[in-house]
Amino acid sequence: MSLSVDSVDIKKKIENCKTLQEVEVIRLEYLGKKGLIPSEMKLLSQLSIEQKKIKGQQLNKLKTFIEDAVNDHKILIENKKLEEKLKNESVDVTLPHNEEVTGKIHPISQTIFSIIEIFGNLNYSVEAGPDIESDFNNFSALNIPPHHPAREMQDTFYVNNANGEDNVLRTHTSPVQVRTMLKSKPPIKIIVPGRTYRSDSDSTHTPMFHQVEGLLVNKDATMADLKSTLILFLKEFFEIDNLKYRFRPSYFPFTEPSAEMDVAYTKKNNVLKIGEGDDWLEILGCGMVNPKVLENCNIDSSVYQGFAFGMGIERLSMLKYGITDMRGLFDLNLKWLDHYGFSPLDLKTRSEI
Ligand code: PHE
């Protein structure tokens, strides 16, 4: 007693199907309510017990065999479909880019990338804060009390708050020193690139400009550490190993002692050469964090000390890339950007060369 069908033939039939629908037709032909297997099952009752047992087993085996073949082939078809879909949707990332439609990286962004890279290699992390700051963070916590002349030094834009308290457009990135010290415990080692605002506008000043702040707080930071950090930074940034520089004593309410750092330059035939010569350009302000500032930020100044620095990104950018007119940086002139900008696909920095 044997079945009229050959399982090898059925498998072939299933495997020849190209679509899920075709597989379904065959599945119904054998396993559907009126399909071959159920019909044969019905006939079992007419057989002797012995035959019933044998044929029943055969039918069950065949049923499982067909079910498996159907499922396997369905999966195969679905995988093929998916593969096809992925193939059609794929983007060829190796295609050469089209210069015409590629934007350029602005020199300010490029400068920020380089600064982050250099300080990143010295294990500084990057912090950020809001452009609209509280009077406390921008001034009071930094040891600039109300009516202090330093407030006038900074041509502040005031922003009226709903509850009558004055907010400001931050005049420097130093308030992020305060934010960081209030939220984290020393050791602290951060830089803060960001936008800053002062009510000042002429050929060398714009009301919005960029600074990068640096802050290090630990138990044993010294002025010598500050100086060596800044010297290393400027040499790396300008890619000049024997850069000529000087530190001058200065005053900031939030650092004590304070200094400013200049680099030497020469100007011949209207071309600026940085790093040598007898003229000096001011690059940054710096100093040891005033203990009063540490206390204002809940850091015990008898245990901790630190240094801070702040520099103007526009000036660094102009000096490095030979940009003579600051206003070009903010003109939104595509021709200018095409000349001074950087290809996003060519972001090579010194460490990669
Ligand atoms: N915040 C100062 C400025 O804007 C720069 C500075 C930062 C000086 C940190 C000392 C320490 O001029």
Side-chain angles (χ1 to χ4, degrees), residues 15 17 20 70-83:
E15 284 174 353
C17 292
L20 291 175
V70 163
N71 287 338
D72 286 351
H73 199 61
K74 276 188 175 166
I75 291 171
L76 200 97
I77 292 177
E78 267 161 7
N79 282 347
K80 259 200 192 145
K81 254 173 83 187
L82 187 69
E83 242 170 62

Side-chain angles (χ1 to χ4, degrees), residues 154 171-172 174 177 198 211 213 252 254-255 285-287 308-310:
Q154 300 207 341
T171 56
H172 49 183
S174 304
Q177 286 191 34
R198 289 183 200 176
Q211 284 191 339
E213 191 81 10
F252 299 101
F254 32 92
T255 47
C286 62
F309 53 86

Side-chain angles (χ1 to χ4, degrees), residues 3 30-48 52 55-56 59-60 63:
L3 277 170
Y30 292 99
L31 307 175
K33 253 189 197 158
K34 290 180 185 147
L36 183 83
I37 306 273
S39 319
E40 293 271 343
M41 291 275 193
K42 271 181 209 148
L43 298 178
L44 286 182
S45 57
Q46 300 163 7
L47 302 177
S48 69
K52 210 189 264 177
K55 190 152 186 197
L59 281 173
N60 271 329
K63 187 177 165 220

Side-chain angles (χ1 to χ4, degrees), residues 138 142 144 153-154 171-175 177 196 198 209 211-215 226 250-260 282 284-289 307-312:
N138 196 81
L142 291 165
I144 314 176
M153 255 159 62
Q154 300 207 341
T171 56
H172 49 183
T173 39
S174 304
Q177 286 191 34
T196 46
R198 289 183 200 176
F209 56 104
Q211 284 191 339
V212 60
E213 191 81 10
L215 173 70
L226 168 63
S250 184
Y251 171 75
F252 299 101
F254 32 92
T255 47
E256 181 61 37
S258 304
E260 280 174 303
E282 181 204 321
L284 56 85
C286 62
M288 300 307 290
V289 179
F307 63 67
F309 53 86
M311 44 199 150

Side-chain angles (χ1 to χ4, degrees), residues 5 31 33 50 88 91 124 151 160 176 179 202 216 282 333:
V5 287
L31 307 175
K33 253 189 197 158
E50 199 59 19
N88 291 336
V91 177
Y124 282 73
R151 290 198 179 203
N160 282 335
V176 187
R179 286 178 173 272
D202 57 37
L216 179 145
E282 181 204 321
N333 180 336

